[in-house]
């Protein structure tokens, strides 16, 4: 059995494969030494040729490094050419050309049924033999290159689809999270986005007052999970151990438990890491939005309380004003009655009494006019109360 030739070295000292310099590497399998030598002599000028004397020897050789083409005899001891071809087809698709002395159509069909690519009958014509081997290798290499290109394009297309899908997940997370009113809703949106990436995780959001909100795929975290989440901030921005990945920001931490193996899926693992970092950073920014919403809600509640208290105070003030006006009129009337009762013991004449009454009436009218000179109190009071009620009835209005 002839082994592979190592080839020569180039100017940089690198080994150059002899098969690449020639038209390809051909394995000749035949039990007759003379036939092997004859076929080798025909092909050696154009191809890197090695030989095997049996089917089992050819199988052993091809398991180590498959040639570009195999020339296979039919009648051989042990494993014949047909069985050798069938076994080769279990692990390689290289062209196999049968060279046989059989002339019958039945034998030729057996060769093709076994998986043969082409067939040449003995005695072999050297020119046809060389041409068939060259064409078969060229077609095989072209098909292999096309298959590799197709695979690369499929991987590229899958990459684009995966990237588009993950972009959609990120955008959906932003749309849903930007209206979150509390940290639990924000954490829920973040957890859902991570699940849509096909990952399992725990999520923690830190509040400005030092409290935290944490959720996991199975709901509330256990005491151990809560403790781990609260201490992952010490692990740096990104930390990965096997399939576990920790992503940390000042306000947001997340732990993923089923990251893909970077050795097996480096591209997917890299894309997922980037997506998780973007999600965590976005949640970090959106947590500030929740801060503002909650602060605004507190201020709105305080405003509603103030409006309610102002309404009560103004209502009391209105009642007091009405009571003051009523009491003032009663007091003035009592004063007039008291003065009129004094006329008897003062011995006043009717003329004097009329003059005094006229004077008192003028004074009373001036007092009442002075009380009313502040404007239409009832109308203005009603307007103020209406404005307060309008403000109180809009307590559910979004402020931002």
């Amino acid at each position: 059995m002839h082994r592979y030739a190592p080839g020569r070295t180039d100017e940089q000292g690198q080994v150059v494969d002899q098969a690449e310099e020639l038209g390809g590497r051909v394995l000749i399998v035949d039990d007759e030494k003379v036939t092997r030598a004859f076929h080798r002599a025909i092909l050696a000028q154009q191809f890197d040729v090695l030989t095997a004397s049996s089917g089992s020897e050819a199988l052993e050789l091809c398991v180590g490094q498959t040639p570009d083409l195999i020339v296979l005899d039919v009648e051989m001891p042990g494993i014949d050419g047909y069985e050798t071809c069938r076994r080769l087809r279990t692990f390689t698709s290289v062209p196999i050309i049968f060279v046989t002395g059989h002339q019958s159509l039945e034998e030729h069909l057996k060769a093709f049924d076994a998986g043969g690519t082409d067939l040449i009958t003995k005695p072999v014509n050297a020119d046809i033999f060389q041409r068939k081997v060259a064409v078969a290798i060229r077609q095989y290499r072209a098909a292999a290159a096309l298959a590799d290109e197709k695979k690369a394009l499929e991987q590229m297309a899958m990459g684009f689809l995966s990237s588009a899908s993950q972009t959609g997940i990120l955008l959906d997370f932003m749309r849903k999270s930007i209206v979150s009113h509390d940290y639990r809703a924000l954490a829920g949106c973040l957890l859902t986005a991570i699940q849509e990436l096909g990952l399992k995780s725990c999520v923690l959001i830190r509040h400005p007052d030092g409290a935290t909100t944490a959720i996991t795929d199975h709901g509330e975290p256990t005491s151990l999970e809560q403790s781990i989440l609260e201490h992952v901030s010490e692990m740096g921005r990104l930390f990965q151990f096997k399939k576990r990945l920790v992503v940390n920001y000042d306000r947001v931490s997340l732990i993923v438990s089923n990251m893909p193996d970077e050795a097996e899926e480096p591209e997917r693992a890299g894309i997922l890491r980037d997506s998780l970092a973007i999600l965590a950073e976005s949640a970090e920014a959106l947590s500030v939005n929740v801060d503002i919403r909650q602060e605004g809600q507190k201020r709105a509640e305080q405003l509603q309380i103030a409006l309610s208290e102002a309404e009560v105070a103004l209502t009391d003030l209105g009642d007091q004003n009405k009571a003051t006006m009523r009491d003032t009129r009663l007091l003035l009337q009592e004063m007039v009655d008291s003065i009129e009762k004094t006329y008897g013991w003062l011995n006043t004449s009717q003329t004097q009494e009329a003059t005094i009454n006229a004077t008192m009436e003028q004074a009373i009218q001036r007092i009442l006019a002075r009380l009313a000179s502040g404007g239409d109190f009832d109308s203005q009071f009603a307007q103020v109360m209406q404005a307060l009620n309008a403000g109180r009835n809009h307590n559910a209005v979004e402020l931002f």
Side-chain angles (χ1 to χ4, degrees), residues 3 5 149 218 226 295 324 335 355 360:
R3 299 288 183 180
E149 183 177 355
H218 53 77
Q226 182 74 32
E295 182 63 26
T324 300
M335 182 187 69
T355 301
M360 286 192 302

Side-chain angles (χ1 to χ4, degrees), residues 28 138 145-146 169 174 202 227 332 348 350 364 376 378 395 399-400:
I28 298 174
R138 187 164 58 249
L146 186 61
I169 291 172
M174 292 296 295
C202 302
S227 176
L332 290 174
T348 54
Q350 290 184 348
I364 290 171
D376 190 351
D378 290 339
N395 57 354
L399 300 178
F400 44 83

Side-chain angles (χ1 to χ4, degrees), residues 47 51 53 56 64 67 76 88 94 121 124 130 144 149 161 196 199 223 228 247 252 259 291 320 324 358 389 394:
F47 306 98
T51 62
S53 60
S56 58
M76 292 186 294
L88 285 168
V94 298
T121 57
V124 171
Q130 285 181 340
E149 183 177 355
L161 290 174
E196 289 175 353
L199 301 173
S223 299
I228 293 173
V247 181
V252 177
M259 284 292 290
D291 296 344
Q320 292 175 9
T324 300
N389 287 327
H394 286 76

Side-chain angles (χ1 to χ4, degrees), residues 124-186:
V124 171
N125 180 287
D127 291 335
I128 293 177
F129 191 20
Q130 285 181 340
R131 293 289 179 87
K132 284 201 172 190
V133 169
V135 169
I137 290 177
R138 187 164 58 249
Q139 290 177 342
Y140 172 70
R141 288 181 170 178
L146 186 61
D148 290 342
E149 183 177 355
K150 178 184 177 183
K151 183 178 180 181
L153 290 173
E154 288 176 348
Q155 291 177 343
M156 185 181 299
M158 291 301 295
F160 286 146
L161 290 174
S162 176
S163 178
S165 174
Q166 292 181 16
T167 300
I169 291 172
L170 296 176
L171 290 174
D172 190 51
F173 166 72
M174 292 296 295
R175 282 194 297 268
K176 293 179 179 177
S177 298
I178 202 167
V179 295
S180 296
H181 290 268
D182 55 53
Y183 303 107
R184 180 160 294 278
L186 177 60

Side-chain angles (χ1 to χ4, degrees), residues 242-384:
K242 295 183 178 179
K243 290 191 174 184
R244 296 187 179 275
L245 174 70
V246 174
V247 181
N248 273 314
Y249 281 82
D250 293 339
R251 299 283 301 276
V252 177
S253 291
L254 55 92
I255 304 174
V256 176
S257 60
N258 63 333
M259 284 292 290
D261 191 328
E262 190 165 7
E264 298 177 358
E265 302 177 89
E267 185 176 352
R268 180 169 178 260
I271 292 174
L272 286 174
R273 272 198 307 273
D274 292 342
S275 297
L276 290 169
I278 293 172
L279 284 171
E281 187 174 4
S282 300
E284 174 90 0
L286 290 167
S287 65
V288 177
N289 185 55
V290 174
D291 296 344
I292 297 173
R293 283 183 175 276
Q294 293 200 340
E295 182 63 26
Q297 184 64 31
K298 289 180 182 178
R299 293 183 179 276
E301 291 173 356
Q302 292 171 352
L303 179 60
Q304 295 306 314
I305 293 172
L307 288 173
S308 297
E309 292 176 350
E311 182 182 3
V312 172
L314 285 173
T315 300
D316 291 343
L317 181 60
D319 293 340
Q320 292 175 9
N321 179 71
K322 292 177 179 179
T324 300
M325 293 292 291
R326 183 179 63 252
D327 293 344
T328 301
R329 287 188 174 88
L330 290 174
L331 290 172
L332 290 174
Q333 186 61 47
E334 289 177 1
M335 182 187 69
V336 172
D337 293 341
S338 298
I339 292 175
E340 288 180 346
K341 289 178 181 179
T342 61
Y343 289 162
W345 56 269
L346 288 175
N347 293 320
T348 54
S349 62
Q350 290 184 348
T351 301
Q352 291 174 328
E353 291 177 2
T355 301
I356 293 172
N357 287 336
T359 302
M360 286 192 302
E361 182 64 23
Q362 291 176 358
I364 290 171
Q365 292 302 320
R366 286 198 301 270
I367 292 172
L368 294 176
R370 183 68 184 87
L371 290 174
S373 63
D376 190 351
F377 180 84
D378 290 339
S379 175
Q380 293 176 356
F381 183 81
Q383 291 178 2
V384 171

